[in-house]
């Protein structure tokens, strides 16, 4: 996994790169979380990878390392209501912008996982498909976004235990869909998503 982007932005002088990623885009309930991370030059960790390829235990072990060692990081959530209003793509990008707002150091380049982003201030950005498996700063952002979102979903699971968000984290599992059919929706559900087999628009 690379620590810096080797492309036309690279020079003999190290540039400050912020990696951005999100977690929870495909869920039926809960916010989408986004993170931005600036790592020190040469940072590496044997566990660091795309968060989806890591176990829960590995992510939990790595989270405090990233939060301690990062030059700066930000984590932000965009709730279900905002997702329904502006759609999940725009909500994911908004979350990344808000996470970037939290950085105490201004990056010179933004590395974004995926293929869509919107200009943030006057800072150049590069979208990288599967970037969380290729660049350490994006992978670190992936881990933080996933950890913070999982923690939130486990917390609200206590409010609505019948949906088992502590287990499915809001993703469209058979168990989750069955609970929606039986108990209806909650304020945490994304009404613009396919919840009952058809789009709910209200």
């Amino acid at each position: 996994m690379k620590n810096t982007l080797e492309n036309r932005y690279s020079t003999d002088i190290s540039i400050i790169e912020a990696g951005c990623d999100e977690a929870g885009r495909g869920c039926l309930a809960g916010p989408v979380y986004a993170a931005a991370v600036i790592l020190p030059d040469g940072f590496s960790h044997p566990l660091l990878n795309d968060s989806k390829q890591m176990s829960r235990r590995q992510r939990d072990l790595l989270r405090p390392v990233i939060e301690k060692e990062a030059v700066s990081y930000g984590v932000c959530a965009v709730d279900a209501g905002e997702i329904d209003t502006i759609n999940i793509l725009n909500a994911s990008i908004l979350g990344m912008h808000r996470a970037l707002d939290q950085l105490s150091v201004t990056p010179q380049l933004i590395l974004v996982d995926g293929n869509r982003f919107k200009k943030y201030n006057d800072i150049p950005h590069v979208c990288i498909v599967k970037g969380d498996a290729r660049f350490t700063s994006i992978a670190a952002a992936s881990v933080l976004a996933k950890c913070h979102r999982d923690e939130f979903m486990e917390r609200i699971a206590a409010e609505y235990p019948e949906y088992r968000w502590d287990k499915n984290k809001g993703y469209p599992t058979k168990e989750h869909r069955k609970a929606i059919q039986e108990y209806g929706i909650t304020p945490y559900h994304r009404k613009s998503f396919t919840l009952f087999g058809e789009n709910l628009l209200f």
Side-chain angles (χ1 to χ4, degrees), residues 3 17 19 55 73 75 91 95 104 147 149 151 168:
N3 191 247
E17 295 174 350
S55 68
Y73 72 90
V75 181
S104 60
C147 285
R149 187 179 190 281
E151 187 176 78
N168 61 55

Side-chain angles (χ1 to χ4, degrees), residues 7-200:
N7 66 3
R8 61 194 174 94
Y9 295 101
S10 296
T11 66
D12 292 334
I13 301 173
S14 295
I15 61 175
I16 302 172
E17 295 174 350
C20 290
D21 203 359
E22 51 72 29
R25 277 187 66 169
C27 296
L28 302 180
V32 62
Y33 268 72
V37 179
I38 299 174
L39 293 174
D41 289 342
F43 178 89
S44 66
H45 194 285
L47 293 179
L48 188 57
N49 196 358
D50 169 10
S51 67
K52 295 183 290 295
Q53 305 301 319
M54 299 172 63
S55 68
R56 172 66 182 270
R57 180 176 179 275
Q58 289 174 327
R59 291 193 298 269
D60 287 346
L61 286 171
L62 197 50
R63 173 183 171 179
V65 175
I66 295 170
E67 293 179 346
K68 178 182 178 181
E69 298 296 330
V71 174
S72 185
Y73 72 90
V75 181
C76 186
V78 180
D79 67 26
E82 288 181 284
I83 292 170
D84 289 334
T85 300
I86 63 177
N87 78 45
I88 187 59
L89 173 61
N90 287 324
S92 297
I93 294 172
L94 175 61
M96 293 183 201
H97 281 205
R98 289 176 176 172
L100 288 163
D101 287 342
Q102 294 179 5
L103 296 178
S104 60
V105 176
T106 301
Q108 297 166 297
L109 177 64
I110 300 168
L111 306 181
V112 183
D113 183 56
N115 58 8
R116 300 287 294 277
F117 193 65
K118 294 180 180 178
K119 187 177 180 64
Y120 177 79
N121 295 336
D122 292 320
I123 303 171
H125 67 268
V126 180
C127 294
I128 306 155
V129 176
K130 297 183 179 179
D132 46 7
R134 297 173 57 193
F135 294 94
T136 53
S137 60
I138 300 178
S142 172
V143 169
L144 293 192
K146 176 67 173 168
C147 285
H148 281 260
R149 187 179 190 281
D150 283 356
E151 187 176 78
F152 177 85
M153 294 306 295
E154 288 164 2
R155 188 161 63 248
I156 65 171
E159 296 180 50
Y160 297 95
E162 58 269 27
Y163 298 92
R164 300 303 303 274
W165 290 332
D166 55 321
K167 300 296 182 181
N168 61 55
K169 304 299 186 290
Y171 281 93
T173 62
K174 290 182 179 180
E175 178 185 55
H176 189 186
R177 287 194 184 278
K178 183 177 179 181
I180 293 171
Q181 292 172 357
E182 184 173 351
Y183 301 104
I185 63 173
T186 71
Y188 294 109
H189 279 101
R190 303 172 185 179
K191 297 177 183 179
S192 58
F193 276 46
T194 303
L195 301 176
F196 293 90
E198 59 182 14
N199 285 328
L200 297 179

